[in-house]
Amino acid sequence: VPEADYLPEVEELGIPIWRFPLYRTGISPAADARAFFALYRILARERPKAVFGYTVKPIVYGAPVAKLAGVPRAHSMVTGLGHVFTTASPKTRALRALVTGLYRLGFAASDTVFIQNPDDEADLRRAGALAKTAPVVRVDGSGIDLGRFRQKPLPEGPPTFLFIGRLLREKGIAEFCEAAAEVRATHPEARFIAVGPHDPALPHAVSEGELARWMEHGVVEFPGGVKDVRPHLEACSVFVLPSYREGTPRSVLEAMSTGRPVITTDAPGCRETIVHGESGLLAPVKDAQRLAAAMRELLEDPGRLASMAEAARRRAEDKYDVRKVNDTIMEAMGFGQNAREAAA
């Protein structure tokens, strides 16, 4: 676990945990070299049977370091291509070229590459990061624990639209706030809540001034970051994620498992999660007016919420149950039920 992302809660898992100095953002040759050799020392000492790298830097460093340390198998999971692939500034274009080259090294050292949506696979192949012969396995995100996120009845009271995520521009928070203001003008009874931390140091975080203006306006409530999102999901009528791009958005899966209709964007990783018109609605990326229209559509036909809520839960059970996703991953890594039976 990278030092910067360490949470004491992981100790409750009752498994060995090692920390090492990796930072998810920024490119510093000296810092990355320290992370590389720290990871090498851990793997060479512990000699695991397999390494599973999850997100960009653990893929880029994890699989090559595993091979150098003599680990028999290395596996990598792409959880989304992030802001480097969603923006087109000169800086991000240069960064995209660098990340593409690093991905190429990580994937070349991987025995399996897990990818969560078809757009990511197509873009990685188009960019030359993923070879034609790369052993790719498609998975339905990271799955959702249906027991932890239990289906709950829709709440009574004013209709409530909920956003959950870091307050980053690419998550669509600006469009959520703009759409909320437009809908509130015709439906003053509606509530709008944005749950999530604000870290202005992160790439593409909204500015402190912009957040202050939204808070002063008072249309959207900002309770900040929380450790447990379940009470907020259970209190909302509709979940909204206007993201520009995702791998598979966990927040949407959590909302569906709770039995909440979802409004999200027709964007890579988002469009696959729902069935438009059945378990939720899709809106174009970066289009606050169409997002507002989707909100109004559900406000003006509240009878649809119950059927959409049921459809959302069924989709979570059928497609995103974490046990099914984990079975797919473990089987591809050679540790599934079939492999265990063969070994026995």
Side-chain angles (χ1 to χ4, degrees):
V1 178
E3 290 274 7
D5 296 312
Y6 182 79
L7 295 172
E9 294 94 296
V10 299
E11 295 172 8
E12 297 172 7
L13 296 171
I15 60 175
I17 298 164
W18 294 273
R19 307 189 211 184
F20 72 113
L22 181 71
Y23 294 90
R24 74 169 76 174
T25 59
I27 297 174
S28 164
D32 288 347
R34 284 194 296 272
F36 188 96
F37 287 109
L39 186 56
Y40 174 83
R41 286 191 294 271
I42 293 170
L43 298 182
R45 182 181 69 240
E46 301 302 327
R47 305 194 67 80
K49 292 182 179 179
V51 161
F52 183 89
Y54 186 96
T55 71
V56 182
K57 285 193 176 182
I59 291 172
V60 167
Y61 300 124
V65 172
K67 295 301 183 186
L68 284 175
V71 178
R73 294 182 65 82
H75 310 274
S76 299
M77 179 181 275
V78 179
T79 59
L81 299 186
H83 75 275
V84 171
F85 284 80
T86 57
T87 55
S89 70
K91 179 180 178 181
T92 54
R93 279 197 294 269
L95 189 57
R96 189 181 310 151
L98 175 61
V99 170
T100 296
L102 292 173
Y103 261 142
R104 190 181 300 120
L105 293 173
F107 294 150
S110 300
D111 294 284
T112 314
V113 179
F114 297 97
I115 296 183
Q116 296 187 352
N117 69 67
D119 295 279
D120 285 357
E121 180 179 353
D123 286 349
L124 288 168
R125 291 194 187 280
R126 192 178 302 115
L130 194 61
K132 291 181 180 179
T133 57
V136 172
V137 174
R138 188 82 55 76
V139 291
D140 293 315
S142 301
I144 189 67
D145 184 340
L146 300 170
R148 177 172 169 77
F149 290 88
R150 298 180 182 277
Q151 185 175 9
K152 298 291 183 178
L154 288 165
E156 298 180 358
T160 301
F161 295 87
L162 175 69
F163 167 99
I164 295 176
R166 289 175 294 165
L167 303 186
L168 305 178
R169 194 160 296 281
E170 65 185 19
K171 292 292 184 183
I173 182 61
E175 288 78 9
F176 179 76
C177 291
E178 184 179 340
E182 188 174 321
V183 172
R184 176 66 68 81
T186 55
H187 295 79
E189 75 282 8
R191 289 182 68 197
F192 303 89
I193 302 172
V195 172
H198 178 235
D199 182 353
L202 289 175
H204 298 272
V206 299
S207 69
E208 292 180 337
E210 194 166 22
L211 178 57
R213 286 193 295 275
W214 289 334
M215 295 177 75
E216 184 179 358
H217 196 208
V219 173
V220 178
E221 302 167 38
F222 291 91
V226 299
K227 286 190 174 182
D228 188 354
V229 298
R230 288 175 295 177
H232 292 278
L233 287 169
E234 292 167 11
C236 82
S237 313
V238 179
F239 181 76
V240 184
L241 182 70
S243 179
Y244 299 176
R245 184 173 193 140
E246 298 282 337
T248 298
R250 178 177 287 276
S251 59
V252 168
L253 305 191
E254 292 170 347
M256 289 166 56
S257 185
T258 308
R260 294 299 177 265
V262 173
I263 299 174
T264 189
T265 46
D266 188 11
C270 297
R271 65 171 72 99
E272 289 83 13
T273 55
I274 70 163
V275 178
H276 179 69
E278 182 179 311
S279 56
L281 298 174
L282 293 175
V285 176
K286 301 182 184 180
D287 192 331
Q289 283 68 43
R290 293 285 292 278
L291 185 65
M295 292 179 179
R296 284 202 195 94
E297 184 176 332
L298 296 184
L299 278 170
E300 292 166 5
D301 189 7
R304 295 178 68 189
L305 292 182
S307 63
M308 282 188 166
E310 290 296 327
R313 174 67 187 194
R314 284 197 305 272
R315 188 161 176 80
E317 293 171 347
D318 295 343
K319 188 176 176 67
Y320 295 107
D321 182 346
V322 71
R323 294 171 298 179
K324 296 178 181 179
V325 174
N326 285 348
D327 284 346
T328 299
I329 293 172
M330 295 298 285
E331 196 67 44
M333 290 174 65
F335 298 111
Q337 183 65 33
N338 292 339
R340 291 196 297 272
E341 289 174 356

